[in-house]
Amino acid sequence: MDASYLDLLMAQQEEVTEEATGGGGIWVVADVVDGAVAPVTLEALGAARTLADSLGAYVYSVLLGDSVADGSTPLTTGLAQTLYQAGADGVRVANHPALARFALEPYLEVLAALFEEEQPEVVIFGATAQGQELAPRLAQRMDGGLIEHVVATSLDEATRTVVVTFPVYSGEYFEIAACPEARPQFLTIEPGTFSAPFLDPYRKGEPATLDFEPVEPAVHVVGAADDFEPPPVPLAQATVIVAAGRQAGDFELVQQLAAALGGQVAGDRGARDAGWIGPEQIVDVRGVTVAPQVYVAVGIRGDTFHNAAVEEAKFIAAIHPDPDAPIFQVADLCLEADPAEVLPALLKALT
Amino acid sequence: MRIVVILGQVLDPSGIVIKRRAGRIFVNREEYVLQPADRCALEAALRIKNAALAGLRPSQGVEVVALPRGPLPDDDVLRQALATGADRAVYLTGEGFDGADDAAMARVLAVAVERLGGADLVITGATTFDTGQGQLGPRLAETLGWPQIVGAWQVEAADGRVRVVRQEGSGYVVVNADLPVVITVLPGALKPRYPDGARLINVYRAEDAVEKWDVSDLVSDLVDEAALQPLLEKRGQDFPPERERGVRLSGTPEEMAQALADTLRQRLGRRPATARER
């Protein structure tokens, strides 16, 4: 077999490749956090891979940043290879000091120029600060549909439409929607809902570098807002609550648990009687009715008034030594144990 | 200075019951309230207005104009905005406007802002309470060709500049931008004021307190009607699985603690088991 024949074969194969792209492929815009590819980007690549395999399309990823800034490996060999390993067939890299940290205008212009040329079918962002600023602007510029905070995708193969699921009333139920005609279809995916793909060390590639003239950002960061404290969230609207009861044992540990979970401290009437909490922190239908994502009841026996006040909680874990404690009738996860024994182990397991 | 505030309404969740097993939403009390994030946006605008008034610079008077975030069945939220302190409110109505989604709304609002005689600042909510979508603000910024600041905690505006506190990573930063700019405010960022009682009565008594604009007028001006077609299509609803209560853990306290820690970590790693896992 002579070399010219091989060349011909390769050329033919490349032609086939071009045809197989169908549309402009599925694109994932990478998020970089602390010099590494963000987990949500890997999850997005996993989701993109699944869609691309059913559609017969390629997965591409765009990486914007500055290799000089973090001083380590150039983007093309370091981060870009991670994107290949996670499932990208092609990677485009935009490397410039102006892109060292996310700023809307420079990022937007690079992506807009790229997508104008490539005409993607689907563009996936992570639902991060960067994705939430970029996705709607690109969608508006390119007349594409956008659905944010997607938690699941499926495919309408006849029309090559991605059908997505997104939460309504923060996950009370889910809405299913699609963008049947307008292209590209933009999505931002919720971090932590798609499984991260296996990083295949044998997948490698040569990323293409984009040429562009950076534009000036319009919004300038002046500095840290040191004196700013976000307003306190009322107990009724807290997302995580750790509540203590008479059997909680050491209240210090309850406070530590709340801090470890990023939640607020509360209690039942017993905790108020013990002097651990104030009257405004009593979870009770006569006090505060709560609806957190996670409610941990530590040593709360759970009378009718308390249990009715936590009914709306999405997930309740209860720790109480008495197996007949009424709290176990409303809890999703029951630990029949002395909080004094569980809490130290729990704090250790969480850190 | 003219500040445009974009307000929407949402079905009050305390009036609805979601039955997962039946796969249905039962509306017991159909009551609409102002979107919480938009309420904070209105508060931000009114604070800028008050700050300008306190500065006693009449040449720098601030006019706050309320516009709807989408097609509204009635103008209640706009009347409430007037009672809370907005100077002007415009209700948008018209044929073929009922289905307008955020992409179309951004175009309509951009024309409406033009019709008002321009604006220096557009403030709206960063996310809707029901569907959690935050695309209207950035889409409008793109249509207007303005910069944007997304997810503001605090907004101050003076001398042609805005100063905004927003989250970056785990901390907060102060950012600056020249006017005009589109800002979206997070829900719960500011403590919103209540409507003034007497004004509320007057606003509802005066038929013409809220101006009424026909969208077809606006559209023929600058956008063609095809641009109002919704891009998205609803394909149904999905309900998370019924809760299984009372799952008892067994083992030593250490093992139980470990199992609980794993569950908590999974739960707090954003969203719990969803429809996807069924």
Side-chain angles (χ1 to χ4, degrees):
Chain A
M1 196 188 292
D2 59 17
S4 61
Y5 176 70
L6 196 64
D7 283 344
L8 197 68
L9 196 72
M10 295 296 278
Q12 270 177 357
Q13 273 191 341
E14 247 163 56
E15 258 178 33
V16 174
T17 312
E18 288 293 304
E19 271 174 12
T21 1
I26 298 180
W27 288 73
V28 174
V29 179
D31 255 270
V32 179
V33 178
D34 298 331
V37 177
V40 65
T41 300
L42 300 179
E43 292 157 20
L45 280 166
R49 188 75 261 166
T50 315
L51 293 173
D53 289 345
S54 330
L55 277 177
Y58 285 106
V59 174
Y60 299 94
S61 192
V62 204
L63 185 60
L64 301 100
D66 178 26
S67 55
V68 187
D70 46 58
S72 51
T73 50
L75 289 177
T76 44
T77 55
L79 302 182
Q81 295 309 321
T82 314
L83 299 176
Y84 278 114
Q85 289 174 5
D89 299 307
V91 176
R92 305 281 188 277
V93 173
N95 197 349
H96 195 279
L99 304 177
R101 63 193 279 175
F102 170 66
L104 179 70
E105 284 77 10
Y107 272 56
L108 182 64
E109 294 310 323
V110 172
L111 291 173
L114 173 68
F115 290 155
E116 204 54 60
E117 197 186 307
E118 301 282 351
Q119 290 299 329
E121 253 188 304
V122 183
V123 183
I124 306 180
F125 291 84
T128 56
Q130 173 184 324
Q132 285 176 356
E133 289 212 37
L134 282 171
R137 289 206 71 139
L138 281 166
Q140 190 70 4
R141 192 172 292 192
M142 303 185 73
D143 290 329
L146 163 67
I147 299 168
E148 296 179 283
H149 302 284
V150 167
V151 297
T153 58
S154 61
L155 207 54
D156 184 344
E157 274 165 42
T159 53
R160 296 177 77 87
T161 303
V162 183
V163 180
V164 303
T165 307
F166 64 94
V168 185
Y169 289 118
S170 53
E172 287 284 334
Y173 68 98
F174 297 86
E175 196 86 63
I176 302 169
C179 171
E181 271 153 36
R183 295 288 180 274
Q185 312 164 64
F186 289 88
L187 331 171
T188 72
I189 66 162
E190 191 64 27
T193 49
F194 289 85
S195 46
F198 166 64
L199 294 183
D200 182 352
Y202 290 104
R203 286 183 64 101
K204 289 189 184 93
E206 195 57 49
T209 310
L210 298 171
D211 265 338
F212 62 95
E213 272 305 313
V215 295
E216 277 295 307
V219 178
H220 303 276
V221 177
V222 183
D226 293 323
D227 51 348
F228 174 74
E229 273 288 317
V233 180
L235 192 58
Q237 287 158 28
T239 50
V240 179
I241 296 174
V242 180
R246 245 179 262 273
Q247 298 282 333
D250 189 355
F251 187 63
E252 281 274 305
L253 293 177
V254 176
Q255 284 172 319
Q256 284 175 26
L257 179 61
L261 297 175
Q264 299 202 19
V265 178
D268 67 353
R269 286 189 176 260
R272 205 273 313 266
D273 294 346
W276 291 334
I277 57 165
E280 72 288 345
Q281 288 169 292
I282 300 173
V283 177
D284 190 302
V285 282
R286 298 160 293 187
V288 185
T289 309
V290 298
Q293 297 289 325
V294 169
Y295 184 85
V296 185
V298 182
I300 293 181
R301 190 171 167 79
D303 59 19
T304 316
F305 293 112
H306 172 269
N307 289 358
V310 298
E311 222 171 34
E312 294 288 308
K314 299 264 160 56
F315 175 81
I316 302 172
I319 311 169
H320 199 276
D322 178 4
D324 296 326
I327 185 77
F328 289 144
Q329 286 160 21
V330 294
D332 297 87
L333 201 60
C334 311
L335 284 79
E336 287 171 32
D338 188 355
E341 289 173 14
V342 176
L343 283 186
L346 182 58
L347 283 168
K348 217 170 121 196
L350 281 172
T351 46
Chain B
M1 185 159 95
R2 184 178 288 122
I3 305 176
V4 170
V5 196
I6 295 161
L7 307 173
Q9 63 176 27
V10 59
L11 193 57
D12 186 353
S14 61
I16 61 173
V17 178
I18 291 150
K19 296 272 187 212
R20 291 174 177 180
R21 192 170 293 161
R24 268 187 65 190
I25 303 150
F26 294 88
V27 181
N28 293 337
R29 180 168 50 83
E30 192 178 359
E31 192 176 310
Y32 289 90
V33 293
L34 186 56
Q35 291 270 7
D38 293 346
R39 211 167 157 217
C40 292
L42 176 62
E43 175 64 26
L46 295 177
R47 284 191 190 185
I48 293 171
K49 181 181 162 184
N50 286 6
L53 283 177
L56 292 176
R57 281 177 294 187
S59 62
Q60 291 203 324
V62 175
E63 186 193 30
V64 177
V65 187
L67 292 178
R69 157 184 286 278
L72 295 177
D74 53 46
D75 56 11
D76 266 356
V77 292
L78 297 171
R79 284 188 196 268
Q80 276 168 32
L82 285 175
T84 317
D87 302 290
R88 219 176 139 186
V90 180
Y91 178 64
L92 299 177
T93 172
E95 246 175 74
F97 176 58
D98 294 342
D101 61 5
D102 288 340
M105 266 328 283
R107 293 197 184 94
V108 171
L109 289 170
V111 183
V113 167
E114 197 101 337
R115 179 72 69 88
L116 285 171
D120 303 286
L121 187 57
V122 171
I123 310 182
T124 186
T127 158
T128 56
F129 184 68
D130 44 353
T131 51
Q133 305 288 303
Q135 41 182 307
L136 182 67
R139 274 184 184 268
L140 178 57
E142 178 65 38
T143 317
L144 291 166
W146 292 5
Q148 69 188 33
I149 301 173
V150 166
W153 281 96
Q154 272 181 4
V155 184
E156 285 163 30
D159 306 322
R161 291 180 76 75
V162 284
R163 180 185 176 279
V164 172
V165 175
R166 73 153 186 230
Q167 194 153 7
E168 193 157 300
S170 53
Y172 299 90
V173 292
V174 179
V175 299
N176 264 346
D178 288 329
L179 295 175
V181 61
V182 174
I183 297 175
T184 70
V185 181
L186 290 171
L190 303 163
K191 195 166 183 297
R193 65 192 72 187
Y194 287 98
D196 179 78
R199 284 191 73 165
L200 202 57
I201 293 169
N202 289 338
V203 157
Y204 272 94
R205 211 172 258 164
E207 280 283 305
D208 55 352
V210 174
E211 291 164 57
K212 214 175 205 179
W213 288 4
D214 200 320
V215 175
S216 48
D217 288 353
L218 295 178
V219 169
S220 58
D221 262 12
L222 290 163
V223 206
D224 64 293
E225 232 158 277
L228 284 190
Q229 290 309 309
L231 301 174
L232 303 180
E233 177 182 287
K234 283 189 181 176
R235 294 274 175 102
Q237 286 160 343
D238 195 359
F239 291 81
E242 197 87 11
R243 293 166 65 155
E244 252 185 72
R245 290 197 196 262
V247 176
R248 304 240 171 180
L249 291 181
S250 55
T252 65
E254 284 74 28
E255 286 164 6
M256 286 195 228
Q258 187 61 48
L260 178 57
D262 291 344
T263 316
L264 289 176
R265 208 175 281 131
Q266 186 211 330
R267 291 253 152 200
L268 297 173
R270 280 293 166 89
R271 225 148 234 111
T274 61
R276 178 174 66 93
E277 281 160 29
R278 269 191 292 165

